[in-house]
Amino acid sequence: MPGLRVILRHQPENKRYLLHTLFSTPRLRGQNKSTNIEVIQEKVRLRDISLDLKLPRSITGAESVDAGEVTLSTVGGIQRLLIGELNGHAVVPLSYA
Amino acid sequence: MTRRTLNDPLLLRQVHLDFHTGPQVPDIGLHFDEDEFGDTLVKAGVQSITLFAKCHHGYSYHPTKVGKPHPNLKTNLLRRQIDACKARGIATPIYLSCAWDELACHEHPEWRVVDEHGKWITTGGIDHLQGPSWGILDFGTSYLDYLCAQIEEVARLFPKNDGIFLDICHQYVSLSSQSMDALKAKGLDWQNTEHLVRHAADMRDEFLRRTTAAARCVHADLPVFHNHGHVTRGDRRILGFDSHLEIESLPTGGWGYEHFPVSARYAETIGAKYLGMTGKFHTFWGEFGTYKPGDALEQESAMMLAFGAGSSVGDQLHPSGIIDQTTYERIGQAFKLIEDREAYHSGSEGLAEIGVLSAEAINDPYTIRTWPKHVPGDEGVVRLLLECQMQFDVLDRNCDLSPYKLLILPDEVQVDTDLKAKLDAYLADGGKLLLSGKSGLGEDGFLFDIGAEYCGTSPFDVDYALLSAPEFGDSPKTPVCLYEGSQRIRVTDGTSLGDVYEPYFARSIKHFCGHQHTPNRREKSGYAVGVSKGQITYLAHSVFSIYMQKGPVVLLEALRNLIGSLLEEPMVTTTHEPCPVSG
């Protein structure tokens, strides 16, 4: 899904990664100085975003900041994160030992 | 409230309050009300607001012995704005316009930039060639003395200010009388374009030095930023003059949605403190009574947070001084999100698996640029990586390359001897390179052993790529149009990524076929769409520029698969498409 952004940051002092997710659908709304004006006009709620993670450190826990129910599991040796819901922007703090 | 210093972290919720007010407008600041202004900002969660000492029209909004107050200024507006904010704990950096100053242009036409044809130039405005737009001043004239005196006056009048924001920091090539005298004194030739550019670069350096010193005449630790609408990648000298970067990038105002991520990933990589800057306008600065939806401001601010930046939202105050309630309801929505998530900002740093060597940074770091600067290869690769949920940094030649599994050199990166040595060391340490288009090409062919022979640029305006290598995943089994002629390569000891099919002839006024493209010949050309050898993969088209400018979805999927295979284990992989739900 090209509109889905997943951006990772690291908070070493908190021993966690921050997985930011964003989703929006800019709409074409005319032009200004020959460039398109694309305005984010509505929120579209997504559910069940499933991500396989291969981060520098193994994740021990996942929290939800407006991400609905968040589930961490291991599938075939790979850590899989299920994000229950995304309505614009959510953060999933991923802690490591 | 104590003043902020360059050692403080940047505040995350800021407003940039434009106030460019023409001399014909009456009753400036007449209806300003401290409580209405300050309480509105507090309610919206604003922590800092950049306020105007001098606007593009050249007028000041405070008593001045150097410049001139706006002719219809009815109150000491800047003082009252600052007092209202400080009483509420809101920081107040102060704005002065630099290369745009209509009053100075009018009173001192000898300070204006004169182009090679002996004419004044103007920039900005809705249509700068036909409509009203701003005259440009030459920092190589006595204007710089006047400007620095204005900055110093502001620093002394408002010693508790929280920073100086200097705008329109462009120095154009100029043949003003003073610049011509200076050129002659330096033994330079005013008819030589290179000499003119060199002198303009010297004048810009002088401008940066002197304005920074003027801003810090009272406090040596005062935050200072010089804006020119774009963070030019590759020129790290700015870090000596700017305490932080404010990435002006209004997605609906010509910058688009890729300009900010490219700039932010670069700003963080070079160790700068940085803010994002969007606008509350439907399109661009200078609109009254237009409103971007609150959801948009919220999402744009969230994007800034995700890239490690605070949010600055641009607004323009009505000349009467009355703050616009609709605007601050919407800004408040965005700032609520930032406030709620501030704990997920402090002390955070980017995480990346891919390094993008910026073509702008490598090829052309010192060209004087104005907004909004687009380098299609740089923005195309970033758009693609964002859409593929891949993690990247944007790099210049001074960056440490060792953290990255993969380096991408998009489309036109000119590799000189120094960069070649750095990339060779990176390869020797086991890194991987992805080159496209003209990246890595020297005068005598490829600078790297890519496993193919270089046969020149295709003479055709278009050709077709059969993306048959398994690394491209489930791509079409037929040749796809890539909208340009590729670099011709014949594979030697590398592995071909597929065949190029060339058209019957180049489209021209003499012979053409159909609306757009001459169709492909049935037989292969003998040239390859790409090649891989060891740690190096090369693609013969400017795939990232093509993706930015034409956006073929086929290319998105093929490059997602190729880059994924080069990473082997991407940090993030989506396992299936998420479901949109209503409500």
Side-chain angles (χ1 to χ4, degrees):
Chain A
M1 184 170 273
L4 178 68
R5 302 277 182 268
V6 179
I7 298 151
L8 283 166
R9 296 186 68 76
H10 185 203
Q11 260 181 327
E13 283 188 13
N14 304 70
K15 291 192 166 185
R16 66 187 181 188
Y17 300 110
L18 301 169
L19 187 140
H20 289 262
T21 57
L22 295 115
F23 182 77
S24 63
T25 53
R27 296 218 172 268
L28 185 57
R29 290 287 175 260
Q31 288 201 323
N32 183 50
K33 296 211 270 191
S34 357
T35 59
N36 289 336
I37 300 167
E38 293 178 276
V39 182
I40 295 169
Q41 207 173 311
E42 63 221 352
K43 282 187 183 174
V44 178
R45 196 181 297 264
L46 300 184
R47 69 169 186 232
D48 300 339
I49 299 168
S50 172
L51 305 172
D52 282 352
L53 302 177
K54 189 74 188 179
L55 300 181
R57 292 166 187 264
S58 183
I59 304 304
T60 53
E63 294 170 53
S64 167
V65 181
D66 289 331
E69 191 178 340
V70 165
T71 320
L72 192 65
S73 61
T74 302
V75 179
I78 293 170
Q79 292 200 293
R80 178 163 292 180
L81 177 69
L82 188 65
I83 297 171
E85 184 177 285
L86 169 62
N87 189 23
H89 175 241
V91 187
V92 181
L94 298 163
S95 50
Y96 55 79
Chain B
M1 178 188 174
T2 55
R3 66 178 184 85
R4 300 189 70 77
T5 76
L6 53 78
N7 301 313
D8 293 321
L10 296 179
L11 296 168
L12 299 186
R13 291 170 270 132
Q14 302 205 17
V15 165
H16 183 99
L17 191 65
D18 259 12
F19 202 59
H20 305 295
T21 313
Q24 296 82 4
V25 180
D27 297 337
I28 308 304
L30 182 64
H31 300 289
F32 178 77
D33 181 280
E34 280 83 352
D35 289 339
E36 182 188 39
F37 186 76
D39 293 348
T40 301
L41 298 176
V42 169
K43 193 175 167 200
V46 176
Q47 295 173 299
S48 174
I49 182 165
T50 303
L51 298 166
F52 270 44
K54 183 183 78 157
C55 73
H56 293 336
H57 289 278
Y59 294 112
S60 300
Y61 299 94
H62 57 85
T64 171
K65 292 178 179 161
V66 182
K68 285 188 178 173
H70 190 288
N72 301 321
L73 185 64
K74 301 298 184 196
T75 186
N76 188 347
L77 184 61
L78 179 59
R79 171 72 66 196
R80 291 177 62 196
Q81 288 175 323
I82 290 176
D83 288 348
C85 292
K86 289 280 184 180
R88 291 165 175 81
I90 297 170
T92 56
I94 299 178
Y95 173 104
L96 294 97
S97 178
C98 295
W100 288 347
D101 180 325
E102 287 290 298
L103 179 66
C105 284
H106 179 71
E107 297 194 337
H108 291 279
E110 74 278 13
W111 291 349
R112 295 185 66 161
V113 166
V114 175
D115 73 8
E116 294 95 323
H117 308 292
K119 293 184 175 174
W120 293 331
I121 61 170
T122 64
T123 56
I126 296 292
D127 183 347
H128 81 275
L129 296 177
Q130 282 147 28
S133 78
W134 308 106
I136 297 270
L137 289 149
D138 179 354
F139 299 140
T141 68
S142 304
Y143 175 64
L144 188 56
D145 300 330
Y146 172 72
L147 174 64
C148 288
Q150 287 181 315
I151 297 169
E152 285 191 22
E153 182 184 50
V154 166
R156 293 184 200 286
L157 278 175
F158 305 99
K160 290 185 181 170
N161 82 74
D162 297 284
I164 295 286
F165 183 111
L166 298 169
D167 201 14
I168 317 299
C169 299
H170 321 317
Q171 172 64 52
Y172 287 78
V173 160
S174 179
L175 289 169
S176 64
S177 297
Q178 274 185 276
S179 278
M180 284 180 68
D181 288 346
L183 276 155
K184 283 177 201 161
K186 286 200 281 191
L188 299 175
D189 176 4
W190 62 267
Q191 290 185 302
N192 181 318
T193 303
E194 279 183 26
H195 288 191
L196 291 177
V197 170
R198 196 191 312 166
H199 180 65
D202 288 349
M203 290 305 98
R204 182 159 184 273
D205 288 353
E206 180 71 1
F207 159 81
L208 291 171
R209 273 193 297 277
R210 287 191 53 195
T211 52
T212 306
R216 293 185 174 147
C217 66
V218 177
H219 299 296
D221 58 0
L222 191 72
V224 177
F225 174 59
H226 298 80
N227 185 47
H228 61 127
H230 175 70
V231 174
T232 303
R233 295 187 287 283
D235 185 2
R236 293 197 184 199
R237 292 176 308 172
I238 56 171
L239 297 178
F241 304 103
D242 294 330
S243 51
H244 64 282
L245 306 176
E246 302 193 24
I247 302 170
E248 185 182 1
S249 191
L250 286 64
T252 64
W255 283 265
Y257 286 94
E258 278 69 33
H259 179 269
F260 171 73
V262 177
S263 305
R265 295 312 303 136
Y266 178 68
E268 182 163 23
T269 304
I270 63 171
K273 289 194 284 191
Y274 55 98
L275 277 181
M277 185 191 286
T278 181
K280 71 98 187 185
F281 316 102
H282 173 61
T283 68
F284 183 68
W285 301 102
E287 286 182 335
F288 293 93
T290 74
Y291 304 100
K292 190 182 277 175
D295 283 352
L297 285 177
E298 183 188 280
Q299 194 71 358
E300 290 169 12
S301 296
M303 177 65 96
M304 294 174 198
L305 202 66
F307 280 102
S311 172
S312 174
V313 179
D315 178 26
Q316 175 147 1
L317 184 66
H318 189 273
S320 64
I322 296 174
I323 192 162
D324 187 298
Q325 296 299 320
T326 308
T327 294
Y328 287 84
E329 284 166 17
R330 294 172 185 220
I331 291 175
Q333 179 185 340
F335 285 1
K336 174 75 169 52
L337 178 137
I338 299 272
E339 189 174 7
D340 288 348
R341 294 174 192 182
E342 187 161 349
Y344 308 104
H345 167 83
S346 48
S348 75
E349 52 197 44
L351 197 61
E353 54 201 333
I354 297 170
V356 174
L357 271 160
S358 156
E360 177 181 312
I362 303 297
N363 297 353
D364 201 11
Y366 301 118
T367 297
I368 299 150
R369 296 174 191 283
T370 58
W371 70 272
K373 175 61 192 167
H374 295 295
V375 177
D378 285 1
E379 292 195 15
V381 66
V382 162
R383 173 179 283 185
L384 189 123
L385 295 175
L386 286 170
E387 291 180 351
C388 295
Q389 296 84 39
M390 290 170 178
Q391 311 301 313
F392 61 90
D393 282 340
V394 177
L395 313 178
D396 64 18
R397 62 173 62 244
N398 296 315
C399 288
D400 175 12
L401 305 181
S402 64
Y404 308 102
K405 278 201 270 185
L406 172 68
L407 290 181
I408 299 178
L409 279 65
D411 300 351
E412 54 175 340
V413 178
Q414 295 162 13
V415 178
D416 61 18
T417 311
D418 288 346
L419 184 57
K420 172 73 165 52
K422 197 163 179 171
L423 292 170
D424 284 342
Y426 169 78
L427 289 166
D429 285 342
K432 292 181 182 175
L433 277 189
L434 173 60
L435 309 159
S436 60
K438 291 182 177 169
S439 292
L441 267 173
E443 286 180 9
D444 304 314
F446 287 103
L447 301 167
F448 301 93
D449 179 8
I450 66 162
E453 169 195 3
Y454 183 58
C455 307
T457 302
S458 164
F460 298 109
D461 52 309
V462 67
D463 60 34
Y464 300 81
L466 185 65
L467 302 166
S468 55
E471 291 89 336
F472 290 124
D474 188 22
S475 287
K477 306 291 184 270
T478 44
V480 299
C481 173
L482 287 181
Y483 298 95
E484 69 170 23
S486 53
Q487 302 304 315
R488 283 171 157 174
I489 55 164
R490 284 189 196 282
V491 174
T492 52
D493 58 347
T495 304
S496 171
L497 299 180
D499 293 306
V500 168
Y501 287 73
E502 294 187 330
Y504 290 106
F505 49 80
R507 183 179 176 90
S508 77
I509 196 80
K510 287 185 180 168
H511 37 70
F512 66 98
C513 171
H515 295 302
Q516 285 203 65
H517 301 137
T518 310
N520 58 285
R521 295 167 187 265
R522 299 285 300 155
E523 66 276 14
K524 329 170 176 173
S525 65
Y527 305 113
V529 301
V531 61
S532 67
K533 182 179 177 186
Q535 298 146 260
I536 303 179
T537 302
Y538 171 77
L539 298 170
H541 293 82
S542 305
V543 286
F544 301 109
S545 300
I546 293 168
Y547 187 59
M548 192 67 199
Q549 292 168 331
K550 294 287 187 180
V553 175
V554 165
L555 207 46
L556 168 63
E557 295 308 320
L559 292 173
R560 179 205 302 276
N561 288 319
L562 175 72
I563 296 171
S565 76
L566 292 172
L567 289 173
E568 295 176 40
E569 291 178 322
M571 286 182 177
V572 177
T573 309
T574 50
T575 62
H576 62 264
E577 294 289 287
C579 307
V581 289
S582 58

